[in-house]
Amino acid sequence: MATQDTCCSLSPYFKVHAGKLAEFKKLTEAFVEKTNSEPKCLYYGFCFDGDIAHCREGYADAAGLLAHLENVGALLQQALKISDITRLEVHGPAEELKKLSAPLAALKPQTFTVEVGFRR
């Protein structure tokens, strides 16, 4: 049975500075540990291709995504001292994306609106 889809995902891609990959990977462990307690987080993890890191993350709704950003804000600031965000995407249904527009504006994400699909 399908339910109303409110799921929002955030997809940041990081270019880790030269010589900082081990330090960045250590930070990802802290991100995962801190995020694990978030009740609206559906999935969360880091993927790597050399010195490029991608955080694969999804939340029950826009409120969950925003709560996550608040929760990991200090860690993100540490990560941005040793990496740069090269791409940022946010995915979700239009009603949820509206709730993210102003709070995420400074990050300038590319926004993808779910138009066809289902959620179980």
Side-chain angles (χ1 to χ4, degrees):
M1 182 170 159
T3 61
Q4 181 179 357
D5 187 2
T6 57
C7 180
C8 294
S9 62
L10 190 64
S11 296
Y13 293 82
F14 300 88
K15 170 82 166 118
V16 181
H17 298 170
K20 298 294 185 179
L21 189 58
E23 185 178 348
F24 188 89
K25 285 187 175 186
K26 189 73 172 165
L27 272 177
T28 66
E29 294 173 14
F31 272 102
V32 169
E33 183 177 335
K34 194 159 186 70
T35 303
N36 192 39
S37 65
E38 296 174 13
K40 289 191 169 190
C41 184
L42 303 174
Y43 60 88
Y44 192 83
F46 284 85
C47 309
F48 290 87
D49 180 10
D51 62 357
I52 304 296
H54 165 63
C55 187
R56 193 175 159 267
E57 52 190 294
Y59 303 90
D61 54 25
L65 190 154
L66 293 172
H68 167 72
L69 290 176
E70 184 174 325
N71 185 37
V72 300
L75 285 172
L76 181 59
Q77 291 309 309
Q78 285 181 267
L80 292 175
K81 291 177 182 175
I82 59 172
S83 68
D84 299 301
I85 294 177
T86 59
R87 181 175 176 88
L88 181 63
E89 301 172 4
V90 63
H91 303 242
E95 288 302 311
E96 294 301 307
L97 292 176
K98 285 179 193 173
K99 299 171 189 175
L100 297 172
S101 180
L104 297 182
L107 297 173
K108 298 180 177 136
Q110 183 174 8
T111 303
F112 293 86
T113 304
V114 174
E115 293 186 10
V116 178
F118 67 91
R119 180 171 173 203
R120 293 193 172 125

